[in-house]
Amino acid sequence: MTMSTSIDSSALLAQLERIANSLERAFAPDQAQAFDTQAIAYQWQYRRVRGIEQAVLSAVKNPALISFEALQNIDRQKRLIEQNTRQFVTGRPANNVLLTGARGTGKSSLVKACLERFHPQGLRLIEVDKAHIGDLPQILDFTTGRPERFILFCDDLSFEEGDSGYKSLKTVLDGSVAGQAANTLIYATSNRRHLM
């Protein structure tokens, strides 16, 4: 006994198309993960994406910028950080920066002024919370090879004894086998002169 079934080819094609569309949506790059090339500032954050907590690079739509001219009574610091950042964006040797001092003395404003001055030359800023400083190698994987120049900015940086973030920062600053990305510097502020 043989049984014959007739398959409606148009219904089968429609079903296959629905399956393909579902798979594309499920595995397409997430909007939260897409790099917004029009933005000048980003935040490294943790969010739930498709039910999984993961790090994402989120564009800051309206970053709080300030001009160097608006900063008063810190002329020496302005000159030094502006010169260092200028060297960085032009591909010359530049240093990572740690700004220390009491609250309200303009440390974060100096970093924002660098972004305001040099973003037309390709400078970009990624703000990294001190709780996520251990993600620096992952962030460097993202920035390495890109045409932009990145400042990884950590505000109010300090470590408690045994904090694993300190080791990650030290590895990035001292260099690892992979080396440091030539297009990335770390600018940090701290209210403490000693980070530990």
Side-chain angles (χ1 to χ4, degrees):
M1 175 174 178
T2 60
M3 194 181 270
S4 114
T5 57
S6 96
I7 299 175
D8 181 1
S9 62
S10 63
L12 181 60
L13 286 175
Q15 182 67 20
L16 288 173
E17 188 172 329
R18 282 194 298 275
I19 292 170
N21 289 337
S22 295
L23 288 171
E24 283 179 13
R25 280 192 305 275
F27 294 104
D30 193 282
Q31 289 299 331
Q33 294 282 44
F35 182 65
D36 181 352
T37 57
Q38 300 304 308
I40 62 170
Y42 308 86
Q43 291 177 318
W44 186 258
Q45 303 173 327
Y46 276 79
R47 293 188 182 163
R48 290 193 84 61
V49 178
R50 295 190 190 104
I52 300 169
E53 187 81 9
Q54 60 181 288
V56 294
L57 191 63
S58 300
V60 176
K61 298 300 179 194
N62 297 301
L65 301 178
I66 188 168
S67 69
F68 277 114
E69 293 72 28
L71 301 174
Q72 302 297 313
N73 303 318
I74 53 173
D75 293 336
R76 179 177 175 275
Q77 293 85 348
K78 283 195 299 190
R79 183 176 45 78
L80 291 172
I81 198 167
E82 183 180 16
Q83 178 184 352
N84 189 68
T85 308
R86 184 180 311 282
Q87 288 178 204
F88 175 57
V89 298
T90 58
R92 296 188 321 230
N95 295 308
N96 296 301
V97 173
L98 174 62
L99 299 165
T100 62
R103 289 189 190 280
T105 54
K107 301 178 300 293
S108 300
S109 294
L110 281 168
V111 178
K112 293 173 186 175
C114 290
L115 182 61
E116 192 274 336
R117 173 73 47 93
F118 295 107
H119 78 268
Q121 287 88 20
L123 184 66
R124 301 295 179 260
L125 185 136
I126 299 174
E127 185 176 17
V128 182
D129 189 272
K130 63 183 173 183
H132 304 138
I133 206 77
D135 291 349
L136 286 178
Q138 185 180 348
I139 298 168
L140 287 175
D141 283 346
F142 172 78
T143 62
T144 300
R146 293 203 56 88
E148 303 88 357
R149 310 294 279 183
F150 292 93
I151 289 176
L152 305 184
F153 175 50
C154 187
D155 199 20
D156 195 19
L157 183 64
S158 63
F159 299 102
E160 301 303 322
E161 191 170 332
D163 193 331
S164 63
Y166 175 76
K167 290 180 182 176
S168 295
L169 178 61
K170 188 174 184 323
T171 299
V172 169
L173 293 175
D174 290 346
S176 67
V177 173
Q180 187 173 350
N183 68 335
T184 307
L185 285 180
I186 298 171
Y187 282 19
T189 69
S190 181
N191 298 326
R192 305 180 189 178
R193 184 170 293 276
H194 302 288
L195 293 180
M196 291 193 76

